[in-house]
C-alpha cells in the first residue's frame, strides 16, 4: 500500500501546481517533497511528475491519480477536525454591525477566556432575525424592547454626544455657540436623524443637517471623524478606545438621551443553554 504521507504530498502538488507551495502546506522542504514523490512513484511503479528543471508537473498518469484521489484528503481533514472539536458547544449570535465592531468584538476575548469550550459564530446584519425559525441562539437588537414573543434584557439606553478630532478644535472656544457651526457634520446613512435630534435638543441650528458628508455606516463615520473630515454625533461607548487614545475628543456639550437601546434577546421557546445564559450574564456585566 502506498504511503499516505506521500499520497498527501502528491494531492497537494496536484491541487496547487507548485512544488514550493505544496511543500509549505505539508510542512516540509521542497527537496523533501521531491523525495516523497520519488518514493510514491517507486511504490506505484509509475512516473507521476515531470522533472524538466522548471519544477514538478503531473504526467498523464499523475493526472489520472489526482482525479481518482479527488477531495479524499480534504474529507479526512474535516473528519479529524470534527473529532477534535467533539464536546465543544456552538453559540450562534446575530447582532447589528456597529455594536459588533465598535463594542462587542473588542471585549469578546474576555468572554472566550471564561467559556473556552464555546465556539462563537457571529453574524452582523441590519435585518431582524426570527429567533424561532432561524439558526441563532440569541441576538442583540436595537430598539425600545417591545418585541413580541422574545425574552429581552436591556444592556444600555443610547445617547448622542459630539466627537471631533482634536485638530478641529485647536484655537477654538468649545463654549462659543458658533464653534459647531464652523465644523462640517458627518452623517451615517442609516442614522440621518441623529444630528437633527441632537441639534434640536441643544437648541442649535446648522447648515449641514440636510447636506454634509454621508457615510454608509457609523463605523465609517467614526473613521472619517478621526481623519478630521468633520464632527460626528455618537454614543460614547462606540468611541471609547479612540477617546482614550486621543484620536477623538468629546467637548463638554449636551448629551442627548434616547428612548432606544441595545437589548439581548432570545426565544423563550428554546431551551436556555449554558452558553446562552453565560453570554447573557456576561453582556449585562460588561455593559
Amino acid at each position: 500500500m502506498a504511503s499516505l504521507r506521500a499520497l498527501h504530498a502528491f494531492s497537494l502538488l496536484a491541487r496547487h501546481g507548485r512544488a514550493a507551495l505544496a511543500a509549505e502546506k505539508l510542512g516540509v522542504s521542497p527537496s523533501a517533497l521531491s523525495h516523497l514523490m520519488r518514493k510514491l512513484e517507486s511504490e506505484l511503479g509509475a512516473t507521476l511528475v515531470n522533472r524538466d528543471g522548471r519544477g514538478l508537473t503531473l504526467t498523464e498518469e499523475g493526472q489520472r491519480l489526482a482525479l481518482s484521489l479527488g477531495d479524499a484528503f480534504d474529507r479526512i481533514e474535516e473528519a479529524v477536525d470534527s473529532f477534535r472539536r467533539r464536546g465543544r458547544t456552538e453559540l450562534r449570535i446575530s447582532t447589528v454591525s456597529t455594536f459588533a465592531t465598535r463594542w462587542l468584538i473588542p471585549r469578546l476575548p474576555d468572554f472566550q477566556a471564561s467559556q473556552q469550550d464555546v465556539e462563537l459564530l457571529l453574524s452582523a446584519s441590519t435585518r431582524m432575525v426570527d429567533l424561532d425559525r432561524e439558526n441563532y441562539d440569541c441576538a442583540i437588537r436595537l430598539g425600545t424592547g417591545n418585541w413580541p414573543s422574545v425574552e429581552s434584557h436591556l444592556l444600555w439606553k443610547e445617547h448622542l454626544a459630539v466627537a471631533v478630532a482634536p485638530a478641529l478644535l485647536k484655537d477654538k472656544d468649545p463654549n462659543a455657540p458658533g464653534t459647531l457651526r464652523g465644523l462640517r457634520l458627518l452623517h451615517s446613512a442609516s442614522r440621518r436623524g441623529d444630528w437633527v435630534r441632537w441639534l434640536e435638543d441643544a437648541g442649535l441650528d446648522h447648515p449641514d443637517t440636510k447636506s454634509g458628508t454621508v457615510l454608509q455606516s457609523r463605523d465609517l463615520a467614526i473613521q472619517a471623524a478621526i481623519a478630521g473630515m468633520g464632527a460626528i454625533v455618537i454614543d460614547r461607548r462606540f468611541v471609547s478606545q479612540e477617546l482614550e487614545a486621543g484620536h477623538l475628543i468629546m467637548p463638554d456639550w449636551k448629551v442627548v438621551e434616547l428612548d432606544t437601546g441595545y437589548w439581548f434577546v432570545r426565544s423563550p421557546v428554546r431551551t436556555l443553554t449554558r452558553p446562552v445564559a453565560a453570554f447573557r450574564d456576561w453582556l449585562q456585566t460588561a455593559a
Side-chain angles (χ1 to χ4, degrees):
M1 180 179 176
S3 163
L4 279 176
R5 184 166 175 78
L7 281 171
H8 190 199
F10 173 78
S11 72
L12 289 170
L13 177 61
R15 175 189 299 176
H16 298 291
R18 291 173 49 208
L21 184 54
E24 181 183 342
K25 294 289 185 182
L26 192 63
V28 301
S29 66
S31 61
L33 179 78
S34 180
H35 175 74
L36 286 169
M37 290 300 95
R38 290 188 183 281
K39 179 181 178 182
L40 183 62
E41 289 176 326
S42 176
E43 292 173 343
L44 298 179
T47 302
L48 303 175
V49 294
N50 295 309
R51 298 169 177 82
D52 55 8
R54 294 178 297 177
L56 301 179
T57 58
L58 300 188
T59 63
E60 287 187 11
E61 287 191 302
Q63 292 174 8
R64 190 178 304 118
L65 177 60
L67 286 173
S68 298
L69 289 174
D71 63 348
F73 283 96
D74 285 342
R75 286 185 280 112
I76 289 172
E77 288 179 3
E78 288 174 6
V80 171
D81 184 58
S82 177
F83 182 77
R84 283 174 176 162
R85 288 166 50 181
R86 68 194 185 282
R88 293 184 66 82
T89 305
E90 289 185 348
L91 177 59
R92 299 170 294 270
I93 308 162
S94 171
T95 182
V96 287
S97 177
T98 303
F99 182 90
T101 59
R102 306 301 311 181
W103 190 88
L104 179 60
I105 290 175
R107 291 166 175 80
L108 272 182
D110 177 61
F111 174 74
Q112 288 184 308
S114 65
Q115 303 290 326
Q116 295 185 14
D117 66 324
V118 176
E119 194 163 273
L120 298 174
L121 283 79
L122 186 65
S123 173
S125 171
T126 56
R127 182 179 63 85
M128 187 179 295
V129 300
D130 186 330
L131 291 168
D132 287 332
R133 298 183 179 181
E134 297 186 56
N135 197 28
Y136 292 104
D137 298 305
C138 57
I140 308 298
R141 287 183 182 173
L142 173 61
T144 55
N146 56 348
W147 302 284
S149 305
V150 295
E151 175 187 316
S152 305
H153 299 270
L154 178 65
L155 302 179
W156 75 71
K157 286 286 188 74
E158 282 192 291
H159 67 248
L160 298 175
V162 179
V164 296
L168 293 187
L169 291 184
K170 188 177 181 181
D171 300 326
K172 292 184 173 66
D173 179 4
N175 296 314
T179 297
L180 182 63
R181 287 185 61 85
L183 303 176
R184 292 191 64 82
L185 303 187
L186 301 175
H187 303 274
S188 167
S190 62
R191 304 280 299 236
R192 285 303 301 266
D194 281 357
W195 266 117
V196 173
R197 172 68 184 274
W198 187 90
L199 288 164
E200 286 178 352
D201 278 48
L204 300 173
D205 59 12
H206 196 286
D208 276 355
T209 52
K210 295 183 179 180
S211 58
T213 302
V214 180
L215 291 305
Q216 185 176 11
S217 67
R218 281 184 288 177
D219 200 32
L220 288 176
I222 291 167
Q223 296 305 317
I226 293 170
M229 292 176 61
I232 56 170
V233 64
I234 192 79
D235 192 305
R236 185 184 186 93
R237 299 172 186 87
F238 291 148
V239 291
S240 59
Q241 292 180 333
E242 289 74 16
L243 293 172
E244 290 174 9
H247 300 314
L248 291 174
I249 58 174
M250 279 189 165
D252 190 20
W253 296 344
K254 187 174 181 62
V255 176
V256 176
E257 303 292 338
L258 302 180
D259 294 331
T260 51
Y262 289 90
W263 301 72
F264 168 89
V265 298
R266 60 174 293 271
S267 170
V269 175
R270 294 190 175 186
T271 301
L272 178 61
T273 63
R274 174 184 58 82
V276 173
F279 184 61
R280 176 201 61 198
D281 295 345
W282 173 81
L283 278 173
Q284 291 182 305
T285 301

